[in-house]
Amino acid sequence: QVRLVESGGGLAEPGGSLTLSCTASGNIASIYAMNWYRRAPGKQRELIVAVTSSGPTTYADSVKGRFICSRDNVRTTGHHTVTLQMNSLKPEDTAVYYCNVRSATSGDHWGQGTQVTVSS
């Protein structure tokens, strides 16, 4: 099994920045992808960042150039953490953000969700 804990988020003004983190523990050797999704009020869930163990990080057009996703070195830390640095925030970035992990042995796992609100 894989367990996820999200942290960060909160309230920011337009043009500001926030950081989200997602730490995976448990059977992390089975993880082949860690992604970020968001669900804005009244909208469908959107994949905004896709991180695979063997490929490049890809960003949705809606966040490209503003959001940066990084991951730690599993061999050094012993756990999987991805951090989403969100810059130049816009009101339309307001959403609940979810960390998603895909495991080769146990399928999809989801974080608890973190509220991000961008408002002046």
Side-chain angles (χ1 to χ4, degrees), residues 40-100:
K43 295 187 177 181
Q44 291 188 331
R45 186 174 62 196
E46 175 189 17
L47 173 62
I48 57 171
V49 183
V51 184
T52 63
S53 58
S54 58
T57 299
T58 57
Y59 298 86
D61 288 343
S62 57
V63 304
K64 194 177 297 182
R66 300 186 298 121
F67 289 12
I68 301 171
C69 187
S70 60
R71 53 184 170 179
D72 64 357
N73 187 324
V74 176
R75 295 177 181 174
T76 301
T77 64
H79 55 261
H80 244 313
T81 296
V82 288
T83 300
L84 185 63
Q85 177 66 41
M86 303 182 293
N87 303 314
S88 302
L89 285 165
K90 304 175 181 179
E92 51 263 43
D93 293 319
T94 295
V96 179
Y97 285 69
Y98 296 92
C99 176
N100 163 260

Side-chain angles (χ1 to χ4, degrees), residues 2 4 22 24 31 33-35 99-103 107-110:
V2 175
L4 299 178
C22 176
I31 295 172
M34 292 185 78
N35 309 307
C99 176
N100 163 260
V101 158
R102 293 189 175 147
S103 164
D108 272 348
H109 300 268
W110 293 89

